[in-house]
Amino acid sequence: EDQVTQSPEALRLQEGESSSLNCSYTVSGLRGLFWYRQDPGKGPEFLFTLYSAGEEKEKERLKATLTKKESFLHITAPKPEDSATYLCAVQLTGGGNKLTFGTGTQLKVEL
Amino acid sequence: KAGVTQTPRYLIKTRGQQVTLSCSPISGHRSVSWYQQTPGQGLQFLFEYFSETQRNKGNFPGRFSGRQFSNSRSEMNVSTLELGDSALYLCASSLQLGNVGNEQFFGPGTRLTVL
């Protein structure tokens, strides 16, 4: 069975304290891995898509990487406005646009 | 470019009633997917439409149905509502179906409360 596991479930950081979020997956055939950010009461906001092991993408303080078994979302010098739930999702070969989501990491960045 | 729009944003219904939710994708996008988000189960795939045809379906009972119109707008319907159907219903829009480089963008969701 295809599975996506995110860790940690929750993370509290001080402003400026860099860290990484993990998304590990066990799937039959990976087409792409997606990262989203979701604020309370809102829809997920697209961040990155990664397609092959070794691929990296960056956006402001965020950098996503992909291996054959997991993906990391690195947050460098976070600010309070980075507080949100970060969701990882996989798209499978032959699965159309269907995304299978992990349960998310709730990030809180404090002053 | 306008994003994905969903209407209504909030809805309160009672058990046994039915409900219809609407989604307008980003202009030019032809694929629409629906998801249910609850605190206990997270985000779960309901179904996906492309060119007015259902292309993929998740593990939900037949009370959940949908359709897509020629202008790519989509509706989903839930009949005989149950308390457990209370959730945030999200619509995602993408340009094509399942191709590499096919990013998916979510709308703000419809918050359904069943009493």
Side-chain angles (χ1 to χ4, degrees):
Chain A
E1 185 185 336
D2 301 314
Q3 275 195 321
V4 181
T5 304
Q6 290 189 247
S7 62
E9 288 186 14
L11 182 62
R12 297 180 75 156
L13 299 173
Q14 296 295 312
E15 185 176 12
E17 180 186 1
S18 302
S19 188
S20 296
L21 313 182
N22 178 262
C23 171
S24 62
Y25 59 90
T26 306
V27 299
S28 48
L30 182 73
R31 180 185 293 278
L33 186 141
F34 292 66
W35 282 100
Y36 288 88
R37 168 199 169 122
Q38 187 174 27
D39 293 297
K42 296 188 176 181
E45 175 190 342
F46 173 80
L47 294 174
F48 305 108
T49 313
L50 302 166
Y51 292 102
S52 56
E55 188 175 2
E56 297 183 352
K57 288 190 177 175
E58 285 187 70
K59 178 181 178 180
E60 296 180 355
R61 295 178 292 282
L62 300 176
K63 178 180 175 180
T65 61
L66 180 67
T67 73
K68 288 187 177 179
K69 293 183 179 180
E70 59 191 347
S71 176
F72 291 94
L73 185 65
H74 307 278
I75 304 177
T76 303
K79 298 181 177 182
E81 53 262 42
D82 294 322
S83 298
T85 296
Y86 290 85
L87 296 162
C88 161
V90 296
Q91 185 183 54
L92 305 182
T93 306
N97 285 332
K98 174 186 175 182
L99 295 176
T100 301
F101 282 85
T103 51
T105 293
Q106 202 167 12
L107 173 66
K108 173 80 172 173
V109 182
E110 300 170 332
L111 290 169
Chain B
K1 211 175 199 180
V4 180
T5 58
Q6 292 187 243
T7 56
R9 292 293 314 280
Y10 303 92
L11 208 49
I12 299 175
K13 292 286 187 179
T14 57
R15 280 182 300 174
Q17 287 187 309
Q18 74 164 19
V19 66
T20 299
L21 312 181
S22 180
C23 170
S24 293
I26 292 169
S27 178
H29 283 197
R30 297 169 60 198
S31 174
V32 172
S33 300
W34 288 90
Y35 293 82
Q36 180 195 67
Q37 187 174 30
T38 59
Q41 299 296 319
L43 268 150
Q44 292 189 292
F45 173 79
L46 280 157
F47 28 65
E48 171 185 21
Y49 288 87
F50 181 81
S51 293
E52 302 177 65
T53 301
Q54 188 180 91
R55 303 291 180 146
N56 212 342
K57 191 177 189 305
N59 296 325
F60 279 82
R63 300 185 296 107
F64 291 81
S65 63
R67 58 178 176 169
Q68 187 180 33
F69 302 96
S70 58
N71 61 358
S72 295
R73 190 176 70 85
S74 177
E75 288 181 349
M76 68 162 281
N77 183 279
V78 188
S79 62
T80 318
L81 284 166
E82 300 177 359
L83 295 178
D85 296 333
S86 294
L88 181 67
Y89 288 89
L90 292 158
C91 164
S93 157
S94 55
L95 192 60
Q96 300 181 57
L97 184 68
N99 294 337
V100 172
N102 197 34
E103 297 165 350
Q104 294 188 54
F105 301 92
F106 282 83
T110 294
R111 171 73 62 187
L112 172 64
T113 301
V114 182
L115 302 176

